[in-house]
Amino acid sequence: MSTADEQPLINISLADVDDQDVNMVATSLHASGIADTVASAVLGVLPDPTYWRLTVSGDLAATVNRLDGLPDSERYTLGRGAGRVGARTKQAADGVFDIVIDLDSFFINEIEDPEAVARHARAAAAHLGTHEAGHALLALRSEDSARYDDRASGGMSERAWRHNLASHLDDFRIERMTRRVAPAPISQVLGLPDAIAHVRDELTASRSLISADIGEACQRSIQALDSLVRVIAYTTAELGLTEGGHGARPHPRPDGWNRYLDASWDTWAEVFHAAKPADEAMTLDELAGVLSMLCRLTLGWSDSVGFKWRMDGDRRQTAYWTANTY
């Protein structure tokens, strides 16, 4: 498969596709324009194709686990609370970035018209290609989360959030860049209802686990809140700020909005937007400053929704579920 004539020849590998389907899938990706679209999107961010390899996978988790050579105890999974991963980019041992996109990420079951399916698939290909290339771009500029997450300031409880929040900050910066040229074909706002419902379910379930397994209860609550912060990052990147500099709000408001997000939404948006889009350079100190604000915000927000968690200097944890219902 290749991009347009004026661009370098780009090979797109297929992985974890049934042998009997390989030719059909390859032909379909080419004929629909998906192959050219996704390759062109990556080239738009990373013009030198020697820096990256592009793979379309029929089973993203299986492909990533094989590329990474992970033991069973560290297997890569696609579930992210209320969401699901559709692509992954990581620098391989040879220095080249492996961009792996799940085949199903191009399609949506709710669309029946063949031409509408193709339009959606090309829009998804442009978005995913641009976004994944953004991860490589940040790494090549030494601005990816691994370079600054340990620079976050604050107490133990705040800094305990730094690794996950730095990853969300990367995604926010990349989405700000991506939406200019290849907005997602489905609004990120649509992920809010499930993410809020997931937090409610997990906080409720965790509260009932306190006496049986407090460690599991804490882990479930933290993971659920983290998955909602991830959706917040994507959503505020899409919605942006109002002329007054406040967070633009979704319409309609999802169930649970008033309790979980309304009071804090402006702060989430303002703190995330203190970071520049991925195609604009930031210093590590600047990034660490935004991350430190996110850590403080997340800890206070967690308190406000009824999960008060702390870690002391000896890494001992305490947690209280302060709401009667969620």
Side-chain angles (χ1 to χ4, degrees):
M1 302 176 193
S2 65
T3 63
D5 292 342
E6 68 272 13
Q7 295 172 330
L9 180 68
I10 303 298
N11 291 320
I12 301 178
S13 301
L14 288 176
D16 293 292
V17 176
D18 290 342
D19 290 343
Q20 64 267 29
D21 296 331
V22 168
N23 289 336
M24 179 189 69
V25 170
T27 300
S28 176
L29 290 176
H30 179 75
S32 65
I34 294 173
D36 284 354
T37 300
V38 70
S40 295
V42 179
L43 282 168
V45 180
L46 302 171
D48 186 345
T50 63
Y51 282 116
W52 48 274
R53 288 182 289 261
L54 187 54
T55 300
V56 173
S57 171
D59 185 338
L60 179 61
T63 303
V64 169
N65 283 319
R66 185 172 57 256
L67 287 172
D68 291 356
L70 295 174
D72 289 343
S73 60
E74 300 176 15
R75 304 296 277 177
Y76 185 80
T77 58
L78 304 185
R80 295 296 183 272
R84 185 176 174 85
V85 174
R88 205 288 301 265
T89 297
K90 184 177 179 181
Q91 193 168 23
D94 62 1
V96 178
F97 289 90
D98 279 312
I99 299 173
V100 186
I101 300 177
D102 193 73
L103 179 62
D104 287 342
S105 297
F106 299 127
F107 305 104
I108 183 170
N109 294 331
E110 288 76 8
I111 300 177
E112 296 182 359
D113 176 63
E115 185 53 40
V117 169
R119 286 196 301 271
H120 174 91
R122 289 191 293 270
H127 179 80
L128 288 165
T130 304
H131 182 96
E132 292 307 309
H135 284 290
L137 177 67
L138 290 181
L140 288 168
R141 287 212 316 264
S142 297
E143 291 180 30
D144 55 309
S145 59
R147 309 294 180 127
Y148 65 86
D149 59 3
D150 276 337
R151 293 173 175 241
S153 62
M156 287 290 292
S157 303
E158 294 167 344
R159 296 190 76 247
W161 285 94
R162 68 192 184 281
H163 297 303
N164 287 355
L165 293 177
S167 176
H168 303 330
L169 183 55
D170 281 1
D171 278 325
F172 170 82
R173 296 186 67 202
I174 292 166
E175 278 298 291
R176 282 196 70 191
M177 174 190 74
T178 301
R179 68 187 295 269
R180 293 177 184 154
V181 294
I186 298 177
S187 173
Q188 305 292 345
V189 172
L190 297 179
L192 279 173
D194 284 348
I196 293 173
H198 182 66
V199 164
R200 282 178 149 167
D201 290 345
E202 289 298 284
L203 289 176
T204 299
S206 298
R207 198 173 191 277
S208 68
L209 277 174
I210 295 173
S211 58
D213 190 340
I214 186 114
E216 174 68 11
C218 286
Q219 189 67 16
R220 287 182 65 166
S221 293
I222 289 169
Q223 288 178 344
L225 290 168
D226 178 67
S227 71
L228 179 51
V229 176
R230 179 176 183 269
V231 175
I232 291 170
Y234 276 85
T235 303
T236 192
E238 176 186 314
L239 296 178
L241 300 175
T242 65
E243 290 185 2
H246 303 302
R249 282 162 157 71
H251 297 283
R253 310 282 199 271
D255 288 344
W257 171 268
N258 288 343
R259 174 169 181 175
Y260 288 91
L261 291 175
D262 187 62
S264 61
W265 188 254
D266 286 344
T267 309
W268 283 116
E270 291 161 15
V271 171
F272 270 117
H273 278 83
K276 297 176 183 178
D279 53 351
E280 297 179 24
M282 293 183 68
T283 68
L284 295 183
D285 285 344
E286 288 173 332
L287 288 164
V290 178
L291 178 59
S292 299
M293 290 190 290
L294 280 174
C295 288
R296 289 193 294 274
L297 172 58
T298 301
L299 193 66
W301 170 70
S302 177
D303 288 352
S304 74
V305 301
F307 176 61
K308 187 172 183 178
W309 174 90
R310 295 293 186 272
M311 177 183 286
D312 66 19
D314 295 322
R315 304 189 69 82
R316 289 190 298 260
Q317 301 180 53
T318 58
Y320 303 92
W321 286 257
T322 59
N324 291 323
T325 60
Y326 293 95

